[in-house]
């Protein structure tokens, strides 16, 4: 079956067309037929499409809303110009899978979208005001373009972390506030962390219950996940994606008293403070230069910029703290897995994060680390390292396509019942 996977952002739609079914899933033979994105929806949009094995298409197009953007994607997908194998008309797109950022406590697995599910996603808008509205616009645009005959499935970023114990997801605030408002750590990037756990067990040929690893999704947004027995037992992002590690423009963990203090000193409103912590902090705020790790590494190398170095060092220290705390919480791990744009493509950052962790059994092989190219899967630890270090490119779209197929086919979704960690 051909699954159209959509990731709808505030002014963009990313997509993949994935061929999958029960037999292909069993053989790990799913295939990406095409991918692309439309950016700057609402103005002169930037369009970038590519079918596997064919030259890319890049163009500008006036696309005023999500429906127009999705219509442009679909017209290209079914056109002879794309040359996508097995797709000649809209009837050849069988299911639409959507990345939905927040499912709250209601959605613990992927589900076929109907009026009740859509209402539930809308109820989570107050938990993810920057993300869920865009996801909903993508769902409604797909319904307009394809009609009600093509099933749609929601795959939630938060669902993989639904297995976290109370000791991991509860904050130290009055318990009645959790009961009343569901204030807790939800975690995000769940589909990515879940894919890394899946790919690790395939590489090692072990059952899901034997997967005890720490995964690092490092990009503009960053998160770490402690995975024990194949399920999430802790993760760095919290009630929102702002909590946790230092990121491209997000501050990560900050003493909440800083918000009141700065609001008073700078005359800022609460919304102003949240904007600053989300969009003006992290690597960008620390360096005063950029949120792009590649540019910071170049500034450090070419110009010896002190604040570029400072931003990189704070970023790496933030990741190291998560690794150390999760090793303690899990009672050890078999592997540390790097992924995401930075984790997959930057040997320098992997080296700096692992530096000093030898006492915890993490030893990076400098030559293997440097030799591994972006987009490749490989092991970069020394033979003596007790905790193996791997680089695994993430593929969230594949799991969204698989979940969409299973949901529509009425097949059970993957379940996760992690073994208890040492602390619980």
């Amino acid at each position: 079956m051909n699954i159209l996977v959509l990731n709808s952002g505030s002014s963009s739609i990313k997509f993949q067309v994935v061929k999958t079914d029960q037999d292909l899933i069993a053989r790990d033979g799913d295939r990406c037929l095409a991918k692309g994105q439309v950016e700057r929806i609402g103005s002169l949009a930037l369009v970038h499409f590519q079918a596997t094995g064919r030259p890319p298409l890049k163009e500008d197009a006036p696309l005023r809303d999500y429906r127009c953007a999705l219509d442009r994607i679909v017209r290209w997908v079914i056109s002879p110009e794309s040359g996508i194998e097995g797709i000649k008309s809209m009837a050849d797109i069988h299911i639409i899978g959507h990345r939905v950022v927040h499912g709250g406590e209601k959605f613990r697995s992927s589900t076929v979208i109907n009026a009740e599910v859509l209402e539930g996603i809308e109820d989570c808008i107050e938990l993810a005001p920057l993300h869920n509205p865009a996801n909903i616009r993508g769902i409604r645009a797909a319904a307009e373009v394809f009609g009600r005959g093509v099933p749609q499935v929601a795959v939630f970023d938060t669902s993989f972390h639904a297995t976290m114990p109370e000791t991991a997801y509860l904050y130290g605030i009055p318990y009645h506030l959790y009961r009343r408002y569901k204030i807790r750590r939800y975690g995000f990037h769940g589909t990515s962390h879940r894919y890394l756990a899946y790919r690790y067990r395939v590489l090692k040929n072990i059952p899901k219950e034997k997967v005890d690893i720490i995964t690092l999704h490092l990009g503009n947004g960053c998160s770490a996940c402690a995975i024990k027995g194949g399920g999430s037992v802790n993760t760095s992002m919290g009630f929102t994606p702002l909590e946790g590690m230092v990121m491209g423009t997000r501050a990560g963990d900050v003493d909440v008293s800083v918000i009141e203090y700065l609001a008073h000193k700078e005359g800022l409103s609460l919304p102003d403070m949240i904007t600053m912590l989300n969009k003006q902090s992290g690597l960008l705020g620390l360096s005063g230069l950029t949120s792009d790790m590649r540019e910071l590494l170049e500034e450090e190398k070419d110009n010896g910029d002190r604040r570029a170095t400072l931003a990189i060092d704070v970023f790496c220290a933030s990741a190291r703290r998560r690794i150390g705390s999760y090793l303690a919480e899990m009672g050890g791990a078999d592997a540390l897995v790097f992924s995401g744009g930075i984790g997959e493509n930057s040997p320098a950052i992997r080296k700096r994060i692992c530096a000093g962790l030898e006492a915890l059994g993490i030893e990076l092989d400098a030559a293997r680390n440097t030799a591994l190219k972006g987009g490749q899967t490989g092991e970069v630890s020394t033979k003596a390292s007790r905790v193996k270090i791997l680089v695994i490119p993430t593929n969230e779209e594949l799991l969204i396509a698989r979940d969409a197929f299973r949901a529509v086919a009425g097949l059970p979704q993957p379940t996760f019942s992690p073994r208890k960690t040492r602390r619980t």
Side-chain angles (χ1 to χ4, degrees), residues 55-322:
L57 167 68
K58 297 181 180 180
E59 66 178 22
D60 299 333
L63 301 172
R64 68 176 181 273
D65 55 27
Y66 281 75
R67 190 195 186 288
C68 292
L70 183 56
D71 182 68
R72 178 68 188 94
I73 291 170
V74 172
R75 283 191 289 109
W76 175 80
V77 166
I78 66 176
S79 70
E81 177 187 13
S82 72
I84 300 175
E85 175 189 344
I87 298 184
K88 306 299 181 185
S89 71
M90 290 178 64
D92 294 319
I93 297 174
H94 306 116
I95 304 170
I96 304 168
H98 294 269
R99 177 198 180 216
V100 178
V101 167
H102 216 308
E105 290 191 326
K106 182 172 184 178
F107 298 108
R108 298 174 65 90
S109 63
S110 304
T111 184
V112 176
I113 298 170
N114 55 26
E116 181 182 356
V117 170
L118 187 58
E119 183 178 347
I121 297 172
E122 290 172 339
D123 289 342
C124 293
I125 286 177
E126 65 179 2
L127 298 175
L130 300 177
H131 299 90
N132 274 33
N135 303 154
I136 291 168
R137 286 194 288 271
I139 292 168
R140 288 181 169 151
E144 292 178 17
V145 171
F146 286 90
R148 299 189 180 276
V150 179
Q152 301 192 67
V153 176
V155 180
F156 300 93
D157 262 9
T158 49
S159 62
F160 181 60
H161 303 301
T163 54
M164 288 193 298
E166 289 180 308
T167 51
Y169 72 69
L170 285 177
Y171 292 112
I173 61 176
Y175 187 74
H176 71 270
L177 295 176
Y178 160 67
R179 294 292 300 271
R180 187 179 301 167
Y181 302 114
K182 301 304 179 186
I183 298 174
R184 51 162 287 178
R185 178 175 290 107
Y186 288 99
F188 301 90
H189 290 154
T191 311
S192 177
H193 292 297
R194 182 180 142 207
Y195 174 81
L196 299 175
Y198 161 76
R199 184 54 60 192
Y200 174 81
R201 70 181 172 89
V202 170
L203 291 170
K204 296 299 181 181
N205 193 26
I206 58 175
K208 177 172 59 181
E209 295 74 20
K210 296 290 185 180
V211 176
D212 296 341
I213 61 176
I214 296 169
T215 51
L216 294 178
H217 179 109
L218 305 179
N220 191 53
C222 301
S223 64
C225 186
I227 299 174
K228 193 170 185 69
S232 172
V233 294
N234 209 336
T235 191
S236 56
M237 285 181 169
F239 183 65
T240 74
L242 177 57
E243 185 184 359
M245 300 159 62
V246 171
M247 310 177 215
T249 63
R250 295 179 188 140
D253 293 340
V254 172
D255 184 335
V256 294
S257 296
V258 171
I259 297 175
E260 179 186 20
Y261 183 82
L262 276 181
H264 173 70
K265 289 289 187 179
E266 296 286 321
L268 299 173
S269 67
L270 182 58
D272 290 337
M273 287 300 306
I274 297 302
T275 297
M276 183 191 75
L277 293 172
N278 269 298
K279 297 184 177 181
Q280 300 162 13
S281 302
L283 293 174
L284 174 62
L286 287 166
S287 70
L289 298 169
T290 178
S291 63
D292 191 312
M293 181 62 80
R294 295 166 298 186
E295 295 177 7
L296 289 175
L297 288 167
E298 289 174 4
E299 278 292 324
E300 180 184 50
K301 179 182 177 181
D302 297 340
N303 302 316
D305 189 284
R306 189 191 77 84
R307 284 180 57 186
T309 299
L310 177 65
I312 296 167
D313 287 345
V314 172
F315 177 92
C316 293
S318 172
R320 272 196 303 277
R321 281 192 290 273
R322 292 292 169 177

